[in-house]
């Protein structure tokens, strides 16, 4: 298992490093204990967090209300919760069992 995510039953907890003002929204490389995510939004008035939540909701095929920023609201390093993701990128394995 990688250090940037862990499963809590059917919910996924992610550690991410956000790069705002990128040319496009995309998943970047896996860093030591975080997944780099590039987003187009600027880090102004919570726009980046809202944009990140919307991007992850599309990526995991869940409603936006199922993606929650647990910590790091004002930081590039964030911990997020994705409730019952319906789709996973290749770098994340489904829960065992």
């Amino acid at each position: 298992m990688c250090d940037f995510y862990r499963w809590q039953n059917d919910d996924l907890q992610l550690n991410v490093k956000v790069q705002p003002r990128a040319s496009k929204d995309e998943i970047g490389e896996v860093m030591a204990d975080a997944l780099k995510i590039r987003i187009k939004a600027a880090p102004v008035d919570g726009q980046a967090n809202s944009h990140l939540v919307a991007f992850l909701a599309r990526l995991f095929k869940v409603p936006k209300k199922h993606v929650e920023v647990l910590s790091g609201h004002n930081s590039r390093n964030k911990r997020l919760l994705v409730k019952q993701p319906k789709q996973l990128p290749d770098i994340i394995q489904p829960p065992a069992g």
Side-chain angles (χ1 to χ4, degrees), residues 32-70:
D33 61 349
L35 176 64
K36 188 167 192 174
I37 298 181
R38 296 176 185 91
I39 57 171
K40 294 186 284 187
V44 178
D45 297 331
Q47 291 175 13
N49 285 341
S50 296
H51 193 89
L52 176 64
V53 165
F55 172 65
L56 292 176
R58 286 190 309 273
L59 181 70
F60 291 106
K61 302 275 191 233
V62 297
K64 286 190 274 189
K65 66 182 181 180
H66 284 204
V67 180
E68 180 183 349
V69 179
L70 299 174

Side-chain angles (χ1 to χ4, degrees), residues 5 7 12 88-95:
Y5 73 91
W7 288 97
L12 177 65
L88 298 173
D90 293 339
I91 57 174
I92 297 177
Q93 298 301 312

